Amino acid sequence: MSSLIERFDQLALSLPLLETLKEIGYEAPSPIQAATIPLLLDGHDVLGQAQTGTGKTAAFALPVLEKLDLTNRRPQALVLTPTRELAIQVAEAFQGYARHSPGFHVLPIYGGQSMGIQLRHLKRGVHVVVGTPGRVMDHLRRETLSLAELRTVVLDEADEMLRMGFIEDVDWILEQTPPERQIALFSATMPEPIRQVAHRHLRDPHEVKIKASTATVETVRQRYCQVSAQHKLDALTRVLEVEDADAVLIFVRTKVAATELAERLEARGYPSAALHGDMTQVLRERTIEQLRGGSLDILVATDVAARGLDVQRISHVVNYDIPYDTEAYVHRIGRTARAGRTGDAILFVAPRELRMLRAIEKATRQPIERMPLPTQEAITGHRLAQFKQQLSDVLTSQDLGFFQEVVAEIEREQEIGLHDIAAALTYLAQRDRPFQFEDAIPIEVERAPARPEREAKPAGRRERPPRDSARHSADFDKVRYRLEVGHQHGATPQNIVGAIANEAGIESRYIGRIEIHDDYSTVDLPDGMPKEIFQHLKKVRVRQIPLNISRLDGLDPSAKRPPPKRAVSKNKAVAIEIETPTRKARKRTS
Ligand code: AMP
């Protein structure tokens, strides 16, 4: 991707948007933004190959907001996402970027949420709709969503929509849009069916692809730690505790994040400073000098501010926020292992960002080793070992005559044994920084096993759709259900997984074996489905046919029955829970 755009003010964005970006702390457009925003502002269709973490949401949200007519309260942009979580996240991003656009309305619509709420909002008028294909189709069929004024359609994570069996739905939705609308299609990979959708619906699309720079970084030991956003700070603390580091450079995405993280580290007893583009040159240089001279050990920086930084003491680079592309990654980790030394690079990745991790491995042609989160016991052990070392250092290097007299005096006057005195002194020595380390990371997260391989495939490899009987699902108490769609209706396992995952909020790994028969299918789902979800799933459609779900054993989950012995909630990741503990089992008489 060749782009000469390095600053947001080089893009034709209006002042309120530029002001917002400044407030949020974005320093510079990410590569996908620099390439895509001008094209979308110019009215072109875009085929963008980009995964989560590249900044693709702002790449389409900013031009959409720029072109909105706020006086027109019929949807002017429609964003289709594969999951409800992404729909909500994208809608929130829009809301955030539109903070200086009073009266702006964005509505996420997805299965599982009450139709009533969505209808009320749609009636009141919205500018942008972000939704999952199933629910968007529902509204279009009921004519509760008008696409007459639509100017832009965005397909976000198109390959995920394909994997979840939504691609025909997407095709159908696109057919309902006005012919002159603009389309931006984003996908981490470009399998043939996605190219076909692009071919059918996009006009003369400009392709945007993130440059994959290849570089060897043999002197840097690269590791990654899988951690969700909410546990990042605790994870960082743990890493700082156990790594044998000289100086540490931590990368974040925004100026605001740099300042905030440096402050939070300070508050936890790790002296740190921020380095970002809003600081004066003098202050920046002074901070770098402190790092170089050893009076500062932890620096939290943005990419822009750390460009070309050359401090030999940097033994560790921590990618606290994942970089936008492999080029940025290579630059970041190149800040360590300077002047013939070796260095360590640690990358924090959320489960959703695993694809970027694989793309980086591919580009650097080196595996990035998984690093388990250091455990609380490991940190306690580390602190104890440090203390013991300090003790023996003091014993060999200090004249302790005066202090020995003090101890002897305490022993004499207070009649306390040497053991007790030593224990009390040890306690005092660690009071401000207790040996027994504790933080807010729950034990199960700390010990979480590796994610299933399915999420960790290298970018670019074609996803294999789940097969009828060979799906790898989690271990859970299952109940087999019958669905009234089968081969003759064109149902596929992907359609079924997609519909159930989105409409019932059940993670796809908890959707078990699927068998497609001629005029019906069966699927294994976790035991203990709440009756509301069961009733809702009856109405959910696959290939336009209502699933009309029923239990294969004839029991009716919507009848009152006692809770099963092992409730679904045993599996923490299952989103559904038993709601009425008084349900009674009842045999269906039919
Ligand atoms: P996305 O790839 O759209 O999911 O964005 C990933 C993260 O990057 C989000 O937390 C955004 O807020 C952040 N982000 C997007 N663009 C920028 C930018 N230009 N500067 C800093 N952070 C950004």
Side-chain angles (χ1 to χ4, degrees), residues 241-242 376-392 426-427 430 433-437:
E241 281 283 337
V242 298
Q376 302 199 6
E377 294 86 60
I379 295 167
T380 299
H382 202 82
R383 289 186 171 182
L384 268 175
Q386 266 178 347
F387 178 68
K388 288 177 193 166
Q389 185 61 45
Q390 274 176 345
L391 216 59
S392 68
T426 304
Y427 165 77
Q430 56 91 67
R433 189 170 169 267
F435 293 148
Q436 281 153 311
F437 179 88

Side-chain angles (χ1 to χ4, degrees), residues 8 26-30 33 51-58 89 97 253-254 324:
F8 279 112
Y26 290 4
E27 280 191 323
S30 71
Q33 292 163 358
Q51 58 262 71
T52 300
T54 50
K56 66 178 161 57
T57 316
Q89 207 177 304
Y97 297 134
R253 287 206 158 170
T254 66
Y324 302 117

